[in-house]
Amino acid sequence: MAIYPSLSRLSRPSLAQSNQSGYAFPMIFARLTSALGAFAACTLLAQPLTAVGQQAAKTAVAVHPVIDAKSAFMRKDSQGLARSRARLAAQDDPLVVWADYWEARLLISKKPFQPVTIERLRSFQALHHDHPLARALQNDLLVAGIRGRSWPDLARLLSNLPPDPHHPEPTGIACSRARLVLTNETLGEAMGLARGNETLEGCLSLLEDAAGKGLLNRNEITIRARWAALMGSQASGKRLWKASQAAGIRPMPYEFDLLSILATSRSSSATAANRFEPLAKRFNPEQQSFARFALGSRLWMRTDRRAWSYLALGIASAPDQPPEIVEAAARLALRRAEPELLRPILAAMPELLRNQETWVYWRGWLMEQQGRPELARALWETIPEGWSFYRLLASEALNRPLLPMKSEPDYPERYTIGLLRPSVLSDPFLGRSLSLASLGLRAEAIVEWNALINRLPDLGLLAASQLALEAGLPDRAIAAAIRTQDVHDFRLRYPKPFKELIEQEADRKGLKTGWVMGLIRQESRFLPKIKSPVGAAGLMQIMPATANSVARGLGMGRVDARRLVEPSFNLRLGTAYLQQMHSRFNGSAVLASAAYNAGPSRSQLWQSSIDRQVPGAAFAESIPFTETRDYVKQVLANTVMYETMLALSHTPSQPAQHDDASSQRLSAWLSHIEPSSRSSSSR
């Protein structure tokens, strides 16, 4: 996604697209809606959309011109892109907006400051004013201007392209706008924008300007330069100090040596620590404290046993550390299960960070550990009801109901949703999204889908979710359903494609169906043909090497990797692997889920780092890898919701495994993590 800096922001957070539907089918339905009227269209839409998509696919052209257009854009072939754009225009194809965008992007990359480029942007905005690419393109142009490092030219661009108050700009652009009006009066807001963004070119230039004008003192410059170094850019820190010389401000002795060590810690904390030790005595006490705390947090990320001793020696510097370093320190304190060590770290967090749901929950936990349950409850009550990890934990602590009183629309709402379906179906954003999905243009399809659901009310979102599910796009269905604020449909938030197959394989392996569904929802969003960039495939995202290892254990021959997209085959191997992880880690869903994502050796390493029993929630939050940490929390939150939904749909003829009420409590899935024999023997 590197070639789409603005596009990547537009496309989050949905997953990849399915190839189950043909290019033409959304257009077919738009025409049917117009021809048959709302009632007839609603009746027709009761049919599975995938069948219509498969029929439409037969008429899809072999190579669509929008694919040729993107290919030409990637090659920076302006002439080839123009030819493909002409084909799209001749066919009156609504996907021409993407060719227009790519043409403008090529022009921006070559001539960001030329009048012809601004004219092209204005033309695009006039032609596609309601499309999010219009705002994205303006951001692209301003980002290119920032990279051009010509402040007069950039200032002129910023003046000609005012911000949209309804669509916040990327931080680097906001910093550049703040630089236009930088004074003592505007300094506070400007520094707030740049805080934590010291390596972004727009923000670094803002800081250089402020330092050169004498608006920053030496302490502020010191902290900003160190934060830049901790992001891996010693050069940014040096630039800031160079600019400060104009105001007669110079760094403390050996500060550049410290910046070098901090920058190294980004890529190799062990190397940085080894460099620091022989040089430590040359630094003053404040420099030593800062270095030790930062290095301790970074050493924790690689489960280095020196981490806590470093961190404890540098605790006085916690208020001056960047948020990611303070959060890492808090997670290390959770891993050690020592509440008294967590308290000063939480106190050092910036207010905005401290008030995030994660840390509000742990602040409440600290109050509970101190025997102050009233204060704990008061903190937990500030966490809204909901179905994310910490909202579920807070609800359990407060005995709040897991589901809202109404977990699916009532009859009048369902009637309205039915009436809304034709208008949603005929929406050009939906048509383009499904067309792009059928062509395999993943990021572009997500942009169009998000543009659709960003402007729909709750009932419209549920209509879009229904249509996506019927089209064989459960990822889109989930993306729409999770946006609702007041009217929810948990059948769409937590869909159950392949339910019978999943239940069958889960029962065979002695696994809870809800856990398998919760994992699949996180891994693939129930898209059976999805493949990751590293080769994981299918519903449970199995790597070919893992598939072969599991198959050998099942007495099967070598696996044909192409079969991993077959739902039944994928589920057979995926549940077997999950069962192996569950057994290997003595029934811990936390460790098994982490192993499924990051590999069993890493789960084993993390478990070996504890020397006492740790609450499962604390251990999950202390996982060093951001991806795995978020994965475990989301999978287990999903699991609780699926177990709850399965229990609600239970009938006497169905398996009784969903009758276990404990499986509907997140705390039961988390339990406690015990030290491994390896960690015990190493003490």
Side-chain angles (χ1 to χ4, degrees):
M1 297 297 292
I3 61 167
Y4 292 128
S6 295
L7 184 57
S8 64
R9 289 186 290 272
L10 288 167
S11 65
R12 288 197 296 260
S14 302
L15 297 177
Q17 305 305 299
S18 165
N19 290 324
Q20 291 180 294
S21 52
Y23 163 70
F25 91 80
M27 304 308 156
I28 290 174
F29 271 105
R31 298 190 190 102
L32 286 172
T33 301
S34 174
L36 300 177
F39 179 79
C42 285
T43 303
L44 181 62
L45 284 170
Q47 303 175 26
L49 293 187
T50 49
V52 182
Q54 290 164 0
Q55 178 62 34
K58 297 178 181 178
T59 61
V61 293
V63 179
H64 194 281
V66 78
I67 295 178
D68 285 340
K70 182 174 182 179
S71 178
F73 168 66
M74 300 291 286
R75 300 191 310 270
K76 299 183 180 181
D77 177 4
S78 300
Q79 293 183 345
L81 179 52
R83 289 193 295 270
S84 297
R85 195 267 176 204
R87 288 172 58 198
L88 288 164
Q91 298 172 14
D92 197 24
D93 194 312
L95 297 182
V96 71
V97 62
W98 286 95
D100 288 343
Y101 172 72
W102 292 323
E103 281 192 325
R105 280 294 308 273
L106 285 184
L107 187 61
I108 285 171
S109 67
K110 296 173 182 176
K111 304 175 181 179
F113 298 123
Q114 297 300 314
V116 66
T117 306
I118 296 183
E119 289 177 15
R120 175 63 64 88
L121 171 63
R122 298 291 193 203
S123 173
F124 187 95
Q125 290 176 329
L127 192 60
H128 307 293
H129 61 90
D130 64 339
H131 201 288
L133 288 179
R135 176 55 50 181
L137 193 61
Q138 177 164 316
N139 291 341
D140 294 334
L141 177 55
L142 292 173
V143 167
I146 292 170
R147 290 173 179 164
R149 300 282 298 276
S150 171
W151 176 242
D153 287 325
L154 176 59
R156 192 160 45 251
L157 273 181
L158 291 166
S159 299
N160 287 330
L161 301 173
D164 181 346
H166 303 294
H167 297 89
E169 292 180 306
T171 304
I173 298 173
C175 282
S176 296
R177 290 196 188 279
R179 185 181 173 190
L180 284 174
V181 293
L182 183 62
T183 64
N184 266 318
E185 289 71 28
T186 64
L187 181 64
E189 183 178 355
M191 292 303 99
L193 282 171
R195 185 178 179 87
N197 299 294
E198 287 77 11
T199 58
L200 288 178
E201 184 57 46
C203 296
L204 179 57
S205 296
L206 169 63
L207 291 169
E208 287 179 302
D209 199 22
K213 292 176 178 178
L215 298 177
L216 302 180
N217 60 36
R218 189 169 78 163
N219 182 64
E220 183 74 15
I221 296 168
T222 298
I223 296 302
R224 299 289 188 160
R226 289 177 183 176
W227 285 23
L230 281 168
M231 293 176 208
S233 179
Q234 181 186 6
S236 295
K238 286 184 173 180
R239 275 178 55 182
L240 187 51
W241 278 116
K242 183 178 180 180
S244 71
Q245 291 178 8
I249 300 175
R250 288 176 172 75
M252 293 178 286
Y254 304 112
E255 187 67 19
F256 284 179
D257 291 336
L258 178 57
L259 293 184
S260 176
I261 290 170
L262 296 177
T264 299
S265 74
R266 181 77 174 188
S267 57
S268 177
S269 56
T271 300
N274 292 338
R275 284 183 56 196
F276 170 76
E277 284 300 336
L279 301 176
K281 290 183 179 180
R282 73 168 55 175
F283 297 119
N284 66 36
E286 186 278 331
Q287 289 172 318
Q288 289 184 35
S289 178
F290 190 97
R292 291 190 186 280
F293 192 91
L295 290 174
S297 294
R298 287 279 164 79
L299 288 167
W300 161 79
M301 294 179 190
R302 66 185 302 273
T303 319
D304 190 306
R305 292 186 179 276
R306 296 173 290 176
W308 183 254
S309 62
Y310 268 68
L311 198 103
L313 288 170
I315 195 74
S317 74
D320 292 332
Q321 299 284 346
E324 70 163 11
I325 294 295
V326 180
E327 277 198 294
R331 293 185 173 111
L332 175 53
L334 286 172
R335 173 73 59 86
R336 291 179 61 85
E338 297 184 24
E340 290 304 316
L341 299 175
L342 179 61
R343 182 172 295 101
I345 297 171
L346 291 179
M349 284 183 175
E351 184 177 4
L352 190 63
L353 178 60
R354 189 167 61 249
N355 289 331
Q356 289 181 3
E357 289 175 11
T358 298
W359 302 115
V360 169
Y361 177 83
W362 289 110
R363 286 163 55 203
W365 179 79
L366 278 177
M367 293 297 101
E368 187 179 53
Q369 297 299 305
Q370 288 181 319
R372 305 167 75 182
E374 299 82 4
L375 292 178
R377 290 181 63 86
L379 282 166
W380 289 332
E381 283 170 353
T382 66
I383 299 176
E385 295 184 31
W387 308 283
S388 62
F389 187 80
Y390 284 108
R391 293 187 180 191
L392 287 174
L393 283 178
S395 291
E396 287 185 17
L398 297 168
N399 291 316
R400 295 191 302 215
L402 185 63
L403 293 176
M405 292 185 65
K406 189 172 67 173
S407 59
E408 59 185 71
D410 57 25
Y411 176 76
E413 291 164 342
R414 291 198 300 272
Y415 179 77
T416 304
I417 291 169
L419 294 178
L420 287 172
R421 283 165 60 100
S423 63
V424 173
L425 183 63
S426 62
D427 190 293
F429 285 111
L430 182 138
R432 286 191 295 262
S433 179
L434 297 183
S435 297
L436 289 162
S438 72
L439 294 167
L441 297 181
R442 180 180 308 173
E444 293 81 1
I446 294 172
V447 170
E448 299 281 359
W449 183 260
N450 287 347
L452 167 71
I453 63 179
N454 282 342
R455 59 184 187 166
L456 292 175
D458 280 1
L459 298 183
L461 287 168
L462 295 180
S465 183
Q466 288 178 358
L467 291 167
L469 198 58
E470 292 164 8
L473 297 172
D475 63 324
R476 294 287 162 269
I478 294 169
I482 62 176
R483 296 286 191 97
T484 59
Q485 299 297 311
D486 300 309
V487 182
H488 308 299
D489 191 334
F490 280 73
R491 299 165 303 180
L492 297 171
R493 271 182 188 253
Y494 300 96
K496 297 185 281 292
F498 312 104
K499 178 176 180 287
E500 290 76 16
L501 280 175
I502 294 170
E503 284 185 327
Q504 178 182 334
E505 291 299 336
D507 286 345
R508 285 177 177 171
K509 310 302 192 317
L511 302 172
K512 289 286 189 180
T513 300
W515 189 20
V516 179
M517 286 184 168
L519 185 142
I520 293 173
R521 187 181 188 268
Q522 189 65 17
E523 286 282 359
S524 68
R525 286 291 200 262
F526 296 96
L527 294 175
K529 296 183 179 180
I530 188 173
K531 293 184 179 180
S532 78
V534 296
L539 290 172
M540 298 188 73
Q541 287 292 280
I542 306 172
M543 292 292 290
T546 302
N548 280 311
S549 175
V550 173
R552 285 194 299 270
L554 296 176
M556 301 166 56
R558 186 170 180 81
V559 172
D560 181 347
R562 292 172 295 183
R563 292 196 63 197
L564 291 176
V565 299
E566 298 174 13
S568 59
F569 190 71
N570 187 280
L571 287 167
R572 182 182 178 189
L573 295 179
T575 53
Y577 184 62
L578 185 59
Q579 179 194 40
Q580 288 179 12
M581 297 302 99
H582 189 241
S583 176
R584 178 168 178 170
F585 292 101
N586 298 315
S588 169
V590 173
L591 290 169
S593 298
Y596 197 95
N597 176 262
S601 61
R602 290 198 175 99
S603 265
Q604 186 174 333
L605 173 65
W606 297 330
Q607 185 183 16
S608 72
S609 72
I610 63 174
D611 60 4
R612 68 200 74 180
Q613 187 186 73
V614 177
F619 190 91
E621 188 59 50
S622 76
I623 292 172
F625 293 177
T626 300
E627 177 190 330
T628 305
R629 178 170 62 249
D630 293 343
Y631 175 91
V632 170
K633 292 190 292 186
Q634 189 61 60
V635 164
L636 295 181
N638 290 345
T639 296
V640 170
M641 297 310 298
Y642 273 113
E643 283 292 302
T644 302
M645 299 300 291
L646 289 165
L648 289 175
S649 63
H650 171 75
T651 65
S653 62
Q654 290 178 312
Q657 69 155 305
H658 308 302
D659 293 342
D660 180 6
S662 68
S663 68
Q664 299 164 42
R665 293 184 61 81
L666 182 53
S667 55
W669 285 93
L670 293 166
S671 187
H672 286 81
I673 307 300
E674 302 289 344
S676 65
S677 56
R678 177 182 169 188
S679 60
S680 299
S681 62
S682 65
R683 291 198 299 272

